Amino acid sequence: MGLTHTLIDVRPLRTSPVFRRLLIGRTASVLGTMMTMVAVMYQVWQSTHSTVWTGAVGLAQALPLIVFGLFAGSLVDRGDRRRLYLASTAGQAACSALLAVQALAGHPPVPVVPALVAAQSAFGAVGGPAAGAFVPRLLAKDQVAAGLALNQIFFQAMLLAGPALGGLVLGWGGVSVCYLVDAVSFGFSFYAAFGLPPLPPEGEQSRAGLRGVLDGLAFLAGHRVVRGALITDLAATVLSMPMSLFPLINAERFGDDPRTLGLFLSALAVGGIGASALSGSLTRLTHPGPVMLCGAAVWGIALALFGLTTNPWAGLGLLVLAGAGDTVSVISRSTIVQTRTPDALLGRVTAAEQIVGQAGPNLGSLRGGLVAGWTSGTTALVSGGLLCVLAVVAVGASTAELRSAKDTDSEPAGAPAAEPPGAPATG
């Protein structure tokens, strides 16, 4: 009984065939995306040997999410989320194909790659909030946390396999092959989502334009638990994300071999997979707030220690610990957001979560690259990790509701009545 409750809860895979198919399709897409992440970093690094340029790739991913994210969330709360997700997936596939074209063309100007990355991120600004609204509609409320944990373990598995496979493909066929694989992988995600039933928002539709965005921001400003969850993740990502430092560390400690560049992301994924596989007891808890705060603090501490270690293999072990803390924090944060937000607002709140969860790391990568350029990689890593821990402590100390947040608490004001579990799955 104890082991059953400790291992990841797989009930969503049994109860919702639509969720199962969607999970498989999105997993294939994530595999291609992880390969492209390695290919982009490697192509830009080989062209410039500059951490500022590798950080600029992160900025190219972040800016579209920041500029379009909340408006995209408002759009998602006005229309059929399935249709918007399909359109977004097609656009992302086209961007991957164009990345392959520019790689095959020879040596294009360096800004071409960040520009295409930015275009792909703009499509993702719509697809992310649309997909984020799927889980609460396809699963019973008591399975939402388990569904999010399954999403996370499959994502972490691809984070482990994708960069390693990307490094092998880079050594064999070059960056263009990685981009082509990514373009094909989006087809699996498109096929899986094509079988979804129509998923218009429940309750009152979002108001058009800026007014709808302001309604979503007003909810975030007034809901202390959701707001605290997003601030915690923002602190962890912007202050301590190490991604832009990985090429520099690879050059210093691993001989600049492209096959080893993926080991850093893979180490994070090993910890994430381990934490996800043993998440059963966490997803059944009714108090995800304290779990989220502890996970975010572990992330910051592990990265600060990673910056101090002189042994690269010990450093990989610390990245494993960081990945475990991050995964625990992400699952808990997503549970808070998904269970405490009315469906009519879920697109906008998920868009804000996406900005924090995706743009935050990219801004953090830019911060890390700039600090490393001005000082050193060690200073960038240690200072970021310590600032993350201080920020998490401040959020926890100032938000009593988050320290004791329970997803069984009363619904926030204006929340619609719960729909029969899994109803859309049979449509």
Side-chain angles (χ1 to χ4, degrees), residues 68-423:
F68 303 120
L70 292 178
F71 287 95
S74 180
L75 177 65
V76 167
D77 284 339
R78 288 176 57 80
D80 182 358
R81 290 156 174 172
R82 167 186 171 273
R83 184 175 298 176
L84 290 169
Y85 179 77
L86 291 173
S88 169
T89 301
Q92 289 176 291
C95 290
S96 292
L98 290 174
L99 280 169
V101 170
Q102 63 82 30
L104 290 170
H107 300 283
V110 175
V112 170
V113 175
L116 288 173
V117 169
Q120 190 170 58
S121 181
F123 283 109
V126 176
F134 291 161
V135 173
R137 297 283 294 274
L138 300 176
L139 299 175
K141 185 175 181 180
D142 66 345
Q143 295 183 24
V144 168
L148 295 172
L150 286 166
N151 277 334
Q152 189 67 14
I153 193 171
F154 275 82
F155 172 79
Q156 293 290 350
M158 295 305 100
L159 186 62
L160 175 62
L165 182 59
L168 292 175
V169 173
L170 275 174
W172 169 67
V175 294
S176 60
V177 177
C178 286
Y179 297 144
L180 286 173
V181 171
D182 189 23
V184 172
S185 73
F186 279 110
F188 290 93
S189 184
F190 188 94
Y191 173 77
F194 197 79
L196 288 171
L199 292 171
E202 296 175 339
E204 184 178 356
Q205 283 191 344
S206 168
R207 295 193 293 175
L210 183 59
R211 292 180 298 174
V213 172
L214 293 176
D215 290 340
L217 292 175
F219 172 81
L220 289 174
H223 201 298
R224 289 171 57 84
V225 173
V226 174
R227 184 182 71 226
L230 296 186
I231 291 175
T232 299
D233 193 57
L234 188 65
T237 53
V238 172
L239 296 177
S240 59
M241 184 57 60
M243 299 302 186
S244 64
L245 304 174
F246 284 170
L248 175 62
I249 295 171
N250 182 48
E252 292 177 346
R253 303 179 188 179
F254 289 87
D256 204 20
D257 189 332
R259 291 172 296 182
T260 62
L261 178 59
L263 285 177
F264 296 102
L265 288 173
S266 297
L268 291 172
V270 167
I273 291 172
S276 298
L278 300 175
S279 65
S281 57
L282 296 179
T283 57
R284 291 180 174 90
L285 292 175
T286 59
H287 46 284
V291 176
M292 180 196 68
L293 293 172
C294 290
V298 168
W299 161 264
I301 292 170
L303 289 177
L305 293 175
F306 172 68
L308 294 173
T309 184
T310 57
N311 186 317
W313 299 109
L316 289 174
L318 288 167
L319 289 178
V320 170
L321 179 61
D326 179 59
T327 293
V328 168
S329 181
V330 167
I331 293 172
S332 302
R333 181 202 74 219
S334 298
T335 300
I336 291 171
V337 170
Q338 296 283 349
T339 59
R340 301 300 293 269
T341 304
D343 185 78
L345 287 160
L346 196 52
R348 281 161 287 180
V349 174
T350 302
E353 184 185 19
Q354 178 176 257
I355 292 172
V356 171
Q358 295 188 26
N362 292 320
L363 291 176
S365 290
L366 177 62
R367 183 213 67 87
L370 291 175
V371 173
W374 293 332
T375 57
S376 67
T378 297
T379 300
L381 285 166
V382 174
S383 64
L386 294 179
L387 286 172
C388 167
V389 174
L390 290 174
V392 170
V393 170
V395 171
S398 62
T399 314
E401 298 91 339
L402 185 60
R403 295 197 304 269
S404 61
K406 297 183 179 181
D407 61 12
T408 54
D409 288 347
S410 59
E411 294 281 353
E419 290 293 315

